Structure formats: structure tokens, C-alpha cells
Amino acid sequence: MRVLVGDDTAVQTRAEQSRIRTTRQPQCTVEVVSDSGEGAQKCGQTFGAVSAKMGNGVWTVEIIPAEIQPPPRSPAGASGNRIRIGEGVVTNWGDRTNVAIAFNEQVLLARHRLDAIEEDAILLVENMWATHKDEDIRAEWAAAMDELGQANYRIIEVPMEEECLTIVENARKGKNMFALGILCWIFDRDMEITREQIAHAFRKKDPEITERNHELLELGYSWADSHLDVRIDVTPGLSPENTLVMNGNQAIAYGAVAAGMDLAAMYPITPATSVSHQLGEMFYKFGGVVHQAEDEIAAVGVALGASYSGKVAFTITSGPGLALKTEFLGLSVMSEIPLVLVNVQRGGPSTGLPTKVEQSDLLAALFGQPGDAPHVVMAPATIEECFHSMITARRIAETFRTLVMVLTDANLATGVQPFPRPTLDPAWQGSLPDMSPVPEGKAPYDWDEETGLSRRFIPGTPGGMHTLTGLAHDENSKVAYASAINQKSSAMRSRKMAVLQSTLRPPVVHGPESGDLLIVGWGSTKGAIEEAVDRAREEGLSASSLHLRFLSPLEPGLKGIFGRFKKVMTVEINYSDDPDMPYITDENRRRGQLAWLLRAQTLVDVDCWTRVLGEPLQPGAIHDVIRANVSKGGAA
Amino acid sequence: MPSDMTTDERASGALRVLEKACEDYHSALVATSEELRSLLDAGSATAEARAGRTAAELGAFAVGHIDIEKFAAFERTGEPVAVTEAPRLEAASRTLLSLLEHGNDLYYVNVDPGADLRDAVARGLGRAGRAFGAARTVELARSGKYDEATHGGWTDSFPPTLWSRREKQLAPPLVVEVDGADLRPGGLADFLDGEQKIVLVVRGVAPPAALARLITPGLLVVQTENPADLGAVAEAAGPAIAALVPADACHFTHSPAADGGRGRLVVRHMPTEEPKRPLGSLSVFQQTEAMRHLAALAAGWGLSAPETTAPSGDGASVPAPAASAADNLAAWILRQADISGMG
Amino acid sequence: MSLSCSSLLTPVDEDREFRLDDYEGARARWCPGCGDHSVLTAAQRLLVDEQLKPEETVFVSGIGCSSRFPHYMKTYGFHGLHGRALPVATGVKLNRPDLHVFVVMGDGDCVSIGAGHWVHATRYNVDMVAMMLDNNIYGLTKMQTSPTTPQGYKSNTQPQGSWLPALNPLEATLGITNASFVAQTAEWIPAHLFATLQAAYRHRGFAFVRVLQRCPVFTEDIYLDAVRNPEMIDMLTHPDGVELPESLRQIYTSEVRHDPKNLAAAREIAADTSRLRLGVLYRDESNPRYEETRHLPLHTAEDKIRILNEELDQYAV
């Protein structure tokens, strides 16, 4: 279906507005796409922020172009934001897009070909290309519109360029605010909040720019008011009081500050780098340091040196950087220097998918260090948890003299979500390490025989002088020459993980504690999995889910919980063999990484469903998996 | 008690120049205060209170995932603070917090007209030095060596005469406002050690070369009307003193960092006439002697004429060459400087 | 005792005096005749001379013969990873400017596996003494060619002799932007070694000292002539660098006055390998030091929470 709404349409009068139809929807997904540099991101972010301020649940995901400077109007250049808003809390990016606004037809085509758009979606597209002076472009337009026309979309052509030129000289710089105006009309956004948000976004620029953007916003709004006939009502059902809106990397950065850490060492790597952007400014105010090291190895070395000499420091990286840091991570474990490492996972192996999400580093995080190197691995599941996990991570690192890895991913890193504003507590920053004089005869690894725990001697502590070493060593940090020493010190380092595990609580099952199917997940997939489980339960399917925060040591009680379900399977964003593919047998099938771990630890036949599409999982897709694995009568 | 609030713009300017030293000292106060807080938190609490604190420290992520009581049981407790010593630690903590509240006024003293400069400086340093006294009190209390008779009152005042070598390296800077008539800086030599920086902001008529008498081989001495010259004090490695004086006084910089000869003493302005009138308790002779002393040092280093510039007109003319006794003194100081290797 | 930026809490006996045995750790287990012994003694003497508190002094090393060094000191020590001593030392100093940091590296550590860190540590110019104990060979792993092995010198990995000309660490370090102190000394001249380490310690910034060193097992012959014939060595002297100790004046008669401020001259001296030259080649304290990037003053936990709250306001809905 193709509806043309353009200049040829007569300007509507107020009286005609009775034909405007408003549909109420519990949730809706909106996309703004353009060539990179046309400001679609700003438009999308502002729309998301305004919606959050009005009390909608929001989850925003960046659409990142595949190339740095893609040619204009190429499908590979699709750049923008995908904003899912809901009446209540939104925990994931949802399924397909319901409303899209595109600055050219090619980026829209790209989204269509990626199967990102819902069947009955409303697509608003800039129509200047239809009459472009370049014949090739006109041909491209015609072909694209033809292809899009095959689907059941409602396509609305919008003369963005023409309209914007009535206000600004360079429409390319103004279309995004015009587009925002259209979206504000469709979703009946609070214009006062929108104007404030725009002013905030451009606060560092000339006030004239804010003024111009306000005009463009109004223009888009009034254009929509006189030309469109459909409005969507996603009623804000949340109290926006005391809420923060930020992405996962920002949450990690502020969490680190709240945790009292004041030295971060890093080397630029996508998608982790932006953590350091926040910290650079914050730490400067506190007397802290963000050290951009010469390489990934030096970054972890500096963090370890800093931790060794006092408060716990941290480093941030992504897959390739994790690989490079390996030797130092082993040293952290061996010498029992606390350290926090944040790994913002992206697609791998090797350079992989630098800007896209994957959960493929789990096993590397757990076992990537040669030798036996037991340490803690945690995974926040939401943006809010990104913030709070840093506080816990630092604390565990300090108490257990251990390396703590925090695994997030590109989905959390760039996703934006409102969450309750934390009530900051100075206690999060912890106490400074004990530096009181060391009593005579106390050793730097005075392991408690039961727990493996010991006091850390920090430079400056009188009487604590010793030489820390990465060689196998005894209680006194003396290089081990006797055969039994390595056995004992290995046991002591390992024991700490058992001790920590003894303090963990069994995970809480989402849904009934027994049934046909239990989905197990970790990290950023929580929202999508739980939404899928809820949908399945509404259909009468017996499904529950469980989400792990601690991967090492693993949370207790799993075997017991698994035993109460007919089938247990993980849902993950990493690769696993499809059992139906050639040569794949139950014996040689490579399974999802969490599945692998759970099978090894629980001896339960845990199945898995995983995808590596470079995007977050959609609740709809997981819902399909549940349907396929549970029939109304029981597990399939 | 005189009010130690900066009023003179020159005094606040001097504090700004010394900002780095003020911040360093402030940072040391913060670091000490935080460390002391940790000590008190770790050492004093009951098991129950510790679990409460652990819960707070672990934060919201731990809720539902970590059994706080079990976790707290594995925490290493700090060396307990003896019950009898806890009040001393708390007093020390209060002292540090109260010093932090002073802000930059901690590094400023005002000398009331007619009052003694040395006493005022001792008071200012003794006040900022309470931080050292507080830190020492903590260490003494923890090691069981605290003795009320000897150490009591260290958190109230801890004069520089008690400071250790290390404490003198961390010395708080001080900006002092004083009347020209009370500018008798001789006694300040007692405090110029370690990394001590003192800036005197002189009100009204001043003796022309008061600070000249402080010139010794390792001490940076600046007398100037131009606040920009104070930068040398802030940057000096080692002790330094400066005075902001009226335009008609001597303006000079004695810089131990300069190589043995050239540049060690730069006299930028020398009054054309020797003082004629007594100033406060300073006789004409005393004022003149200081001026002659400066001229003699400059002449001894052979620098006065070529290095002299006269920003304010005819200041280039220098009083008659100094007597041979002064020559000898200058030569002696120069020799000392070379031998000491401090140049 | 102190943490982070100079806490004032210090042990009550802080004015205690330290003697040599206060700095002596485990008995050194290097081969007899190894140059490492001499460097160890010089370092311990330096600590006595400067009266550095053992608990406020950290020796950081990598992996190799010389990297056992910290074990033989009674200070804090960090015997870490091959080639990675400098990042660790940088981390220590960034977090704790109050500590005295010494780095002990071998030639393999510094200019081979850790070469990237050497370049950048030089540029960061963090205040520490970085000693490169250069015996021109991999000793611990039994005689493999190192970057500083002389051309033609035979080893287990290059039995036909090292194919390439030796890397010149002085020339290379002097070529790095923001280098602030570059010196060379020799393990067999203890008085000069001591004077050079002292100058390096007193320098505010990253002090790179290459210590020429004999390995009695694998490279005994490399410096044999120079040891026997002091006239083969030029001593670079200057009040701003090191002066020739009185005890050496009679022996080392070839003295070259060299102003360490003169970078061009330093580079020329470093590049000319026709003679051995010991002394401070270059020194400039005016270079920016990376640890000062840290913005003071520090803030208390409560203050930080207040500032963080203000910061979070911009994300508030």
C-alpha cells in the first residue's frame, strides 16, 4: 500500500482533522535513519529522552553504519536510532519497527532487507530523491520504492528538504529536527519538554542554533498536523521522578566513580572506549586519572601497578584487548592483586564485529589465562546494573584479593534506558586498604588455611616489605623451590572462589519454579528473554527463565533448580552449531558458551539456542524458540 | 585574636599564586582524613555494625545475589583500635575536618598593627600544622605511645619547631599581611626549611630592603611590587620567602637555583636615597644597613650594575660600592654556595 | 605511612636512621662476577645516602637475570612480567607519587619485548629511575641474541654471529620526545655507577640509565678491553650531570666536559660508538611530567558523592 502525501495535497483545515485516527498501543518501536552525519542520532536520542521524561518506558539502540564514511545514500550507511517506548518499563529493544522516518529511501531499504520493519509499519521518507536532477538517483528511488511497495507498509512521502529550506540554507543540517517535530506530532509528545531537551542538547553551541532548531521542530510538527492522519498513543504510565537516562558505558563510568575508584587505564577500543570519555571529565574533578596507555598490555599493567600500591584500579576493554591483557591478568591472580576489568563484548573472534553485540567472550574471560587462574566473573543484565555492579566488583576484588571481570556488551554499552536514580552512598567508596604497621612474623600471603584469604601489604606499610612475584611462591612471597608449595598456593587461590560462592544466593526463577522449559541467560539478554517467557506464559506455555549475574564462581543451587524442569536451555548471543546442520552430532556439537559451562558444572543436559547476527535478541525470536520447545501438553 | 580572613586583593592574589602548594596540602589533609575514617570504621565496629557497613559497601547489585552476613564474616577486620585510644583518633579526625573547612584561609594570617611578625607566622603555621599534630596523635595512640603530658594539645596547635623532616617537606604555605612598620623578618629564618613557602603582603610604607637580611645560599628571597614575580616562590625547590612591597622599596630576587654566579641575585630596583626616618621600631641605621647589605651582596657577585634594570625610572643608580667587609661577606656566602652544591 | 597523595600518617619513629643492612634482602644468587652484584650494592648505598624509607621504596622489575634484583632488596618489590616493568612502575607512581620508584630491566626486557613501553615511559616522563642492565645477551634463558648484542657476536640463536648491528639504546632514547634524563655508566666502575644513580634519583622526571654490564658466563669478553684500558673510556662530566669522583681522576684521564642541557651534542655523543662514553648525556627538568596530569586537590568521599550527584543531574529525567 502506498499513500502519497506531498505538496499536491491540499492543506487541511481544522475541520478536516476529525478524520485523524489515534490508535492506542502498549508499546511501539520507532526508527530514525539517515546517512551518517545527518543528525538522525540526535533526533532519536531526543525523542527517547523526551519520552522518558514524560513517563514512558524507553530502550534506545544506536544503528551504527558499517563503514566510517560510507558513500551517501548507500544501504551500508544506515545510521540512526531505534527507540522502543512503552506504557511501562521497557527492558529490551523489542522486535520489529513500527514507525520509521528516513532521510533517504536507500537506508530505509537497508532496514527493510534486514527484516527490521514490522509488516504494517508506517514509513515516512524524504521524497526529494524522486525528483532529483541526477537520473541515477531518480532510478534508484523508483526501484527502492518498488521493492518497498511489495511489502504491506504504509509509506508516506515527506518533502523534508523543501520544507526545511523555508527556514535554513542547509537543509541537511536541519532535517533531523523537522523529523523530530513529525514524531512529536504522531506520538503527541510534550513540546515544552522537547524544546527544553533541544536546548540542553545544544547548550554548548550558539543560542541561535537552539532557536533555529526550535523553529524546525515546530515546522515539522505543524507539517504533520496538516498532512498526517494517524497518531499513536503510548500512554506514559511511569513516574519519571528520580530517574536517570543513560547508556551502559556511562553507567559503568559513573559506577566506577561511585565505587571510589580513581584510576582507570585503557587503550581505545570499540565499543568500550566511551567509558573513558565520561571518566576523563569526572576523574579530573576528583584528582583521579584516566590513563590512555600506549597499548592494551600497558593499560592493564598500569592498572595493576596502581592497584598494587593502594586502592583498586580498573581497566576497560573489549575482546581483542582482553586477549592482549591475558598475561597480566594471570599475574593479578597469581600475585593476588585486586583488579577490576570491564570487558564490553563485541563480535569476534579477531577484529570481528567491532560495533556489534555478542556474548562470545564468556569462556575466554573464565579460562583465557594460561595456567590455573581462578577469578571472579560477573555480568550485569541491565544498564542500571552496569552502574551498581562496579561498586560490588571493587568490593569483592578488595576483600578477596582477586581479579574481578565485569562482562557487559555492545547492547548495554550503547543502549539507553531510564532507571531509578541511585541514592549515592559514600560507603560505596569503601575504606582505604589497611596500612597499619605489619606485626613481626606476618607474611604477605598469610593465607587462612580454611579460606585462602590474607591481608594485602601495600607499599608504605611499615614492616610489610616483600617482593611480589609472578613466580610460584610461598606465604612469604619467596620463589617456590619445594614441590608442595605450588600445590598449596594453587589451592589457596582456588579456595577463595569456593568461599565467595558460599556467600552467593541461589538465583531467583522468573516464573514458576518448575515446569516444562527453563531458559537460562546472562548479561544483556535478560529483558528480551523475560518478555518472551511472559508472552509464552500468556499463551499457556509452561516456561520460566533464570538469569545469572555470577559466572565465576557460579551461583549456587543450579542443579536443584534445573532438576525441576523437563528441559533446560540457554539463550545467548554467541555461536553454537545448529543440531540439524550437516556433520553435527550430539557428540561434536559446539554449544553456547553458558550451556557449555552449565553442562560441565551441573551434569545436566543443557541445550542452547544462540544467534550471532550482530544485534540484540528479539523477544519475538525467543518466543518462537519457546514455542518450538514446549507444546501445550509439555516439553517438545 | 585577629581576624584571618583575606581582605587585601594582593593577599588573595598571593594565595592564587601558591594555589598548587595549598592544593597539595589540602590533598594531604583529605588523604589523611580519609585514611583515618577508614581506620575508625574498620577498627571500632561490632560484628553487627560491620555487616551493616559491608552491606552498604557492596551496594545494590549485591541485593538478592550476595548473603551479606556470610560475606561480612570473611572480611578481614582491621587492627582494633583500643577503646582508650578511640577518643584520640576521633579528636584527630575532628581536627582534620575542621582544618578542611577553613579552605584557603588556612594558609593566611593577618598581623595586627604593632604585633610581632614572627609570632603571627608561628601561629599560622602552628594552626595548619595541627594536621601534623593530629596525624602524630593517631600514630602515637595506635602504637600505645601516646602520653597526655607530652602530646596533649598537638591537635590544637603544632608549631613548626616540632615538625619532622618529612613534615617540613609537606609544609603548608602561608600568606601574611603585615604593616611595613612591623616588617622585621629576621625571626622568620627559624621557619624557612624543607619546602616552606611564605609570602608577606606589606601594608603601607615599608623599610626598603627588609628581606635582604634573609639572603642565605639556599633560600629563595623575593622582594617585589609585582605579584607576577611570586611565581618563583611557588616553583622553588626548597624554602622560599617573598614580600610584596611598595614601588619605592628595593625589588630583587635571590635565586639559589641559578648557577653559582650569573643570575643568582637580580636587583631590579634600588631607591636612589637611603632612608631618612625611622619606621615603627626600625631605626634609620637598621633600614640603611639592610639596603647596604643588599648592595654589597650584589656588588660582591659583580652583578648589580649589568643586571639592574629600572622599570620605574631612574632606579638604575646604585648606592656607592659597599665596604670591604661586605665584600668579604658576599665572597664568603658565594663560596659557601659553591661548596654546598646547592646552586 | 601514607596512601595516595601524601597522607600525613607516618610511623612514630620516622626520623630513624637507616643503614646498609636495612636495605639488604635475600642473599643474591647471581653468578659470581655478574655485574648485577655491583648495581645492587650501588643501589643499596644510594638508599643509605638518601635515607629512603624501605617501606616507601619500590623496586619494579621484569623477567631476566637482573630482574631478580628486588628480591635482594629489603624494600617493596614487584617482580612482574617480561618486558612490562615500566607500565607497572607507571601505575605505582601515578597512584602513589609519594613512593620512590626504581625500575630494573635487562636489555631484553627494555628494548626488545618491552620496547613499546620504553618509548612511551620515556615520553611520559614519570618521576622514577629506570635502569637498563645491559649485558648484551639473554642470560637467564642461556645465551640468545639480544637487540644490543654486538654485530657478529655468536649466540645460541645466531651461531653464525648476530646479523644486525646492535641497537643503540642511548641514541634511541634521546630521540624520544620529552626524554628528560639519559645517562650511561658501567658496572665495573662502582664510584661512577653510584654517582650516576644518585644523579638519576635526584632528577625530577624519568631518569634512564644504561648500565654497561658483563655477563661472566656469556659475554665476558665484550667489555674486557674497556675494563683493562681505562683510556678507552671518555668520562662526560658537568656540575649538572656527574663529576668524576676524586678516586677515579687518576685512572680515567679522558674527561670530556659536556653540558647535559645540550641535546644536539648528546645525540652526537650517543651516535658515535667508536668510544665508550660514561656520564649524563642529557638532562632537562623543565619537561612536563605525566604524573602531574593528576588534578589536585583530592576530595573526601562525601565530597565526591556530592560532585557525582551534580554530574548525574544532567542525566536526570
Side-chain angles (χ1 to χ4, degrees):
Chain A
M1 184 169 62
R2 190 165 162 189
V3 180
L4 288 175
V5 185
D7 271 356
D8 49 338
T9 311
V11 175
Q12 294 149 344
T13 62
R14 285 278 146 190
E16 289 174 296
Q17 287 200 2
S18 56
R19 60 167 180 75
I20 293 173
R21 187 167 45 88
T22 299
T23 59
R24 183 165 176 185
Q25 294 181 12
Q27 59 89 22
C28 185
T29 301
V30 181
E31 272 188 25
V32 187
V33 276
S34 69
D35 285 341
S36 65
E38 287 185 313
Q41 297 265 359
K42 191 143 256 167
C43 170
Q45 283 162 0
T46 309
F47 180 74
V50 169
S51 301
K53 288 196 174 183
M54 290 177 64
N56 282 116
V58 177
W59 186 284
T60 306
V61 180
E62 289 175 20
I63 298 163
I64 300 166
E67 295 170 38
I68 296 169
Q69 272 305 354
R73 296 174 36 79
S74 67
S79 161
N81 270 97
R82 193 172 195 278
I83 311 102
R84 186 186 189 202
I85 61 173
E87 293 178 344
V89 175
V90 174
T91 63
N92 65 85
W93 76 327
D95 297 308
R96 295 192 185 83
T97 292
N98 307 104
V99 176
I101 186 157
F103 297 9
N104 68 62
E105 80 291 349
Q106 292 300 317
V107 291
L108 198 56
L109 190 61
R111 302 298 295 160
H112 164 72
R113 286 176 179 169
L114 282 170
D115 199 19
I117 304 173
E118 192 61 60
E119 279 176 18
D120 59 352
I122 299 170
L123 308 182
L124 298 123
V125 58
E126 158 76 277
N127 70 357
M128 64 177 279
W129 315 106
T131 55
H132 199 273
K133 62 180 190 297
D134 185 331
E135 189 183 333
D136 290 347
I137 289 179
R138 292 200 304 272
E140 282 168 14
W141 164 272
M145 294 311 273
D146 230 37
E147 188 174 339
L148 290 168
Q150 308 292 316
N152 196 30
Y153 304 136
R154 181 158 186 237
I155 300 174
I156 301 170
E157 292 182 19
V158 186
M160 293 191 199
E161 176 95 358
E162 196 180 309
E163 289 288 329
C164 290
L165 283 175
T166 62
I167 294 186
V168 291
E169 279 177 22
N170 181 0
R172 207 179 126 81
K173 291 272 178 206
K175 277 183 200 175
N176 60 342
M177 290 297 125
F178 182 81
L180 180 63
I182 295 177
L183 291 177
C184 284
W185 182 84
I186 294 175
F187 290 92
D188 196 16
R189 300 292 86 176
D190 184 320
M191 291 302 275
E192 198 41 52
I193 294 178
T194 310
R195 274 188 291 269
E196 273 170 26
Q197 194 63 30
I198 290 171
H200 182 74
F202 294 97
R203 68 192 180 283
K204 288 178 182 166
K205 303 246 169 84
D206 194 328
E208 214 171 275
I209 292 180
T210 298
E211 212 172 290
R212 190 62 25 84
N213 281 319
H214 282 167
E215 288 171 28
L216 287 158
L217 174 80
E218 306 292 348
L219 186 66
Y221 190 94
S222 62
W223 182 89
D225 192 37
S226 47
H227 291 85
L228 300 183
D229 60 359
V230 177
R231 299 184 90 164
I232 298 166
D233 172 20
V234 182
T235 311
L238 301 170
S239 160
E241 292 299 306
N242 262 328
T243 300
L244 298 179
V245 184
M246 60 172 70
N247 70 35
N249 275 359
Q250 289 163 335
I252 288 279
Y254 293 119
V257 173
M261 294 194 273
D262 61 10
L263 193 142
M266 49 72 69
Y267 182 80
I269 186 166
T270 305
T273 314
S274 68
V275 175
S276 61
H277 298 176
Q278 306 299 321
L279 285 172
E281 213 168 301
M282 281 302 286
F283 275 5
Y284 186 75
K285 293 179 182 166
F286 290 155
V289 186
V290 172
H291 174 57
Q292 182 183 325
E294 60 270 25
D295 58 40
E296 292 278 0
I297 298 172
V300 66
V302 165
L304 197 70
S307 266
Y308 158 74
S309 65
K311 282 194 286 187
V312 177
F314 78 110
T315 183
I316 44 176
T317 193
S318 189
L322 180 67
L324 285 165
K325 291 180 193 300
T326 298
E327 192 184 9
F328 259 123
L329 299 179
L331 178 62
S332 159
V333 172
M334 181 56 128
S335 57
E336 304 189 48
I337 304 173
L339 180 69
V340 174
L341 177 144
V342 178
N343 178 23
V344 184
Q345 298 171 94
R346 65 192 223 186
S350 185
T351 309
L353 301 167
T355 59
K356 315 265 180 170
V357 62
E358 230 170 72
Q359 297 180 311
S360 299
D361 294 349
L362 176 59
L363 294 180
L366 284 163
F367 305 118
Q369 305 75 46
D372 183 53
H375 60 275
V376 179
V377 178
M378 319 172 9
T382 63
I383 289 165
E384 180 182 13
E385 285 185 11
C386 285
F387 179 91
H388 291 289
S389 64
M390 292 302 283
I391 294 150
T392 313
R394 184 203 63 77
R395 192 64 171 75
I396 291 175
E398 189 71 79
T399 301
F400 286 83
R401 289 185 76 167
T402 187
L403 164 65
V404 178
M405 289 189 191
V406 176
L407 302 185
T408 71
D409 61 34
N411 182 27
L412 289 172
T414 57
V416 176
Q417 186 192 24
F419 60 87
R421 181 173 185 147
T423 308
L424 306 181
D425 185 345
W428 290 344
Q429 304 190 22
S431 304
L432 297 177
D434 180 8
M435 292 182 69
S436 54
V438 174
E440 197 82 31
K442 282 283 181 189
Y445 296 97
D446 210 357
W447 295 300
D448 180 302
E449 295 281 336
E450 291 260 314
T451 65
L453 297 171
S454 56
R455 172 183 168 186
R456 181 159 80 96
F457 295 173
I458 291 157
T461 309
M465 290 82 75
H466 69 285
T467 292
L468 172 144
T469 177
L471 286 160
H473 51 265
D474 64 12
E475 288 89 340
N476 291 303
S477 196
K478 298 288 180 217
V479 177
Y481 294 109
S483 57
I485 290 176
N486 196 44
Q487 179 70 30
K488 169 157 187 201
S489 55
S490 297
M492 291 287 90
R493 291 190 294 271
S494 184
R495 189 74 50 78
K496 294 190 293 183
M497 294 304 111
V499 171
L500 175 58
Q501 204 255 5
S502 78
T503 74
L504 299 182
R505 292 183 187 277
V508 175
V509 176
H510 176 79
E513 292 195 15
S514 62
D516 292 340
L517 178 67
L518 178 71
I519 302 275
V520 187
W522 66 285
S524 70
T525 52
K526 177 171 179 279
I529 291 174
E530 292 184 353
E531 186 171 332
V533 165
D534 292 346
R535 286 189 205 171
R537 296 196 59 76
E538 275 171 29
E539 289 175 1
L541 299 176
S542 166
S544 299
S545 68
L546 179 157
H547 215 73
L548 294 170
R549 307 307 198 283
F550 285 86
L551 287 317
S552 169
L554 214 42
E555 291 166 26
L558 294 180
K559 191 164 185 166
I561 296 170
F562 292 179
R564 294 193 281 274
F565 290 87
K566 289 184 187 155
K567 175 163 182 161
V568 180
M569 71 189 300
T570 66
V571 166
E572 309 176 58
I573 314 176
N574 50 43
Y575 183 77
S576 64
D577 289 327
D578 183 335
D580 298 330
M581 289 291 126
Y583 291 99
I584 305 302
T585 65
D586 188 52
E587 188 180 56
N588 72 14
R589 182 185 176 203
R590 297 180 61 252
R591 291 175 168 83
Q593 299 197 0
L594 179 62
W596 191 99
L597 181 69
L598 294 176
R599 291 167 70 91
Q601 287 292 94
T602 65
L603 291 180
V604 172
D605 188 4
V606 177
D607 194 4
C608 64
W609 179 83
T610 74
R611 284 295 178 270
V612 283
L613 300 169
E615 58 184 34
L617 298 179
Q618 295 175 343
I622 302 169
H623 185 190
D624 290 345
V625 173
I626 297 172
R627 279 183 181 145
N629 282 277
V630 191
S631 63
K632 289 219 168 146
Chain B
M1 195 82 183
S3 150
D4 286 334
M5 297 285 284
T6 49
T7 49
D8 191 315
E9 170 46 33
R10 291 182 302 160
S12 11
L15 280 169
R16 277 196 298 278
V17 174
L18 293 174
E19 189 180 26
K20 171 92 174 53
C22 296
E23 287 181 344
D24 282 351
Y25 197 74
H26 186 87
S27 294
L29 290 180
V30 169
T32 313
S33 175
E34 291 286 280
E35 200 172 339
L36 188 49
R37 179 181 60 79
S38 299
L39 210 66
L40 285 164
D41 285 346
S44 58
T46 59
E48 198 179 40
R50 271 206 307 277
R53 176 144 187 98
T54 300
E57 289 191 12
L58 278 167
F61 187 81
V63 175
H65 300 296
I66 295 179
D67 183 325
I68 305 294
E69 260 176 50
K70 282 189 187 170
F71 191 97
F74 293 116
E75 298 222 85
R76 226 193 59 80
T77 54
E79 299 299 323
V81 177
V83 180
T84 51
E85 304 304 347
R88 317 225 181 290
L89 268 56
E90 278 151 16
S93 179
R94 281 194 301 274
T95 297
L96 291 168
L97 291 173
S98 77
L99 291 178
L100 280 171
E101 279 171 15
H102 274 76
N104 269 359
D105 285 334
L106 187 59
Y107 313 108
Y108 171 82
V109 285
N110 177 47
V111 187
D112 282 350
D116 186 80
L117 173 61
R118 187 187 180 285
D119 288 352
V121 169
R123 175 168 56 85
L125 294 178
R127 179 184 58 194
R130 292 168 65 201
F132 298 138
R136 295 253 209 122
T137 301
V138 171
E139 291 298 344
L140 287 163
R142 286 208 300 167
S143 56
K145 293 177 186 162
Y146 183 85
D147 169 34
E148 184 64 36
T150 320
H151 311 121
W154 278 10
T155 49
D156 300 326
S157 174
F158 195 68
T161 44
L162 293 174
W163 296 358
S164 68
R165 189 177 58 156
R166 179 190 153 90
E167 284 159 352
K168 286 174 179 173
Q169 293 298 318
L170 298 168
L174 196 67
V175 171
V176 187
E177 249 184 85
V178 60
D179 276 0
D182 300 320
L183 188 59
R184 306 175 71 98
L188 301 186
D190 293 352
F191 309 127
L192 291 162
D193 193 4
E195 287 288 331
Q196 186 67 60
K197 315 285 191 241
I198 298 176
V199 174
L200 308 173
V201 177
V202 183
R203 291 181 296 240
V205 184
L211 260 52
R213 289 181 189 248
L214 287 174
I215 294 177
T216 52
L219 187 65
L220 182 99
V221 185
V222 179
Q223 205 175 285
T224 182
E225 68 156 339
N226 182 2
D229 294 336
L230 297 180
V233 174
E235 284 156 24
I241 183 164
L244 279 178
V245 292
D248 58 1
C250 297
H251 299 162
F252 65 88
T253 298
H254 169 251
S255 169
D259 287 341
R262 234 183 136 66
R264 172 173 270 274
L265 181 59
V266 177
V267 181
R268 288 180 298 277
H269 176 251
M270 192 68 103
T272 47
E273 289 181 8
E274 291 188 350
K276 297 268 184 328
R277 275 180 298 279
L279 187 58
S281 64
L282 289 163
S283 70
V284 170
F285 175 77
Q286 285 171 315
Q287 295 178 55
T288 311
E289 274 301 281
M291 201 167 140
R292 286 181 178 165
H293 178 58
L294 177 67
L297 288 175
W301 276 312
L303 302 170
S304 57
E307 293 293 330
T308 300
T309 54
S312 55
D314 60 350
S317 67
V318 169
S324 63
D327 273 343
N328 290 341
L329 175 64
W332 177 82
I333 291 173
L334 188 57
R335 275 202 311 280
Q336 293 300 304
D338 281 347
I339 291 166
S340 72
M342 293 175 86
Chain C
M1 154 162 102
S2 59
L3 194 74
S4 190
C5 291
S6 302
S7 154
L8 302 173
L9 297 183
T10 52
V12 278
D13 55 344
E14 77 138 315
D15 280 337
R16 67 196 189 274
E17 195 178 325
F18 301 104
R19 299 175 317 180
L20 203 56
D21 58 0
D22 287 314
Y23 299 110
E24 288 170 353
R27 193 174 58 80
R29 294 198 196 200
W30 291 304
C31 303
C34 173
D36 290 342
H37 292 287
S38 168
V39 183
L40 179 67
T41 308
Q44 287 167 341
R45 267 190 61 204
L46 174 68
L47 267 55
V48 175
D49 221 61
E50 301 288 343
Q51 284 292 299
L52 303 188
K53 284 189 202 163
E55 69 266 22
E56 290 182 354
T57 307
V58 185
F59 277 80
V60 182
S61 68
I63 295 292
C65 291
S66 57
S67 288
R68 291 292 177 115
F69 200 101
H71 289 280
Y72 310 140
M73 300 291 301
K74 208 198 281 177
T75 62
Y76 279 89
F78 192 115
H79 178 204
L81 301 180
H82 192 30
R84 317 292 174 209
L86 288 169
V88 170
T90 302
V92 170
K93 195 72 187 176
L94 282 183
N95 201 30
R96 296 284 304 279
D98 56 309
L99 298 173
H100 313 287
V101 177
F102 295 82
V103 182
V104 186
M105 299 166 285
D107 37 323
D109 247 343
C110 182
V111 298
S112 193
I113 189 170
H117 308 313
W118 156 54
V119 170
H120 289 277
T122 303
R123 178 167 164 261
Y124 297 150
N125 194 31
V126 170
D127 188 14
M128 61 175 79
V129 177
M131 292 176 254
M132 171 189 174
L133 275 50
D134 189 356
N135 61 4
N136 313 107
I137 202 81
Y138 284 81
L140 189 69
T141 51
K142 310 290 182 224
M143 204 180 188
Q144 294 81 26
T145 305
S146 107
T148 59
T149 303
Q151 193 170 24
Y153 201 85
K154 293 188 167 102
S155 76
N156 283 331
T157 41
Q158 299 202 348
Q160 281 75 41
S162 172
W163 184 251
L164 298 171
L167 184 143
N168 182 336
L170 298 179
E171 195 185 13
T173 311
L174 286 166
I176 299 167
T177 308
N178 210 36
S180 78
F181 184 105
V182 179
Q184 176 159 274
T185 182
E187 132 285 304
W188 63 87
I189 316 172
H192 191 269
L193 174 62
F194 175 80
T196 309
L197 291 186
Q198 188 154 50
Y201 169 72
R202 291 184 175 177
H203 171 75
R204 285 198 294 174
F206 183 78
F208 179 81
V209 182
R210 181 196 192 194
V211 184
L212 302 178
Q213 184 175 326
R214 297 161 297 177
C215 168
V217 181
F218 301 123
T219 60
E220 194 187 11
D221 46 334
I222 291 181
Y223 295 117
L224 204 59
D225 284 349
V227 173
R228 288 183 182 157
N229 307 304
E231 67 276 11
M232 287 178 66
I233 296 176
D234 290 340
M235 289 294 188
L236 307 174
T237 59
H238 194 272
D240 194 37
V242 287
E243 293 286 15
L244 200 54
E246 202 55 45
S247 58
L248 299 178
R249 282 188 192 281
Q250 306 299 317
I251 307 164
Y252 293 93
T253 50
S254 172
E255 189 175 333
V256 177
R257 290 306 266 187
H258 164 65
D259 182 351
K261 282 211 168 50
N262 188 339
L263 182 59
R267 284 179 174 157
E268 225 167 274
I269 291 167
D272 175 10
T273 52
S274 63
R275 285 178 66 77
L276 282 185
R277 287 173 176 112
L278 307 184
V280 179
L281 283 90
Y282 183 63
R283 183 174 118 79
D284 186 353
E285 278 194 345
S286 66
N287 292 6
R289 290 192 301 279
Y290 184 65
E291 67 267 35
E292 294 186 354
T293 167
R294 200 161 184 150
H295 176 73
L296 296 179
L298 300 177
H299 293 269
T300 58
E302 280 78 10
D303 257 354
K304 284 197 204 174
I305 291 298
R306 183 181 51 72
I307 298 172
L308 180 57
N309 250 325
E310 285 168 13
E311 192 78 12
L312 291 181
D313 282 345
Q314 61 177 308
Y315 299 91
V317 159

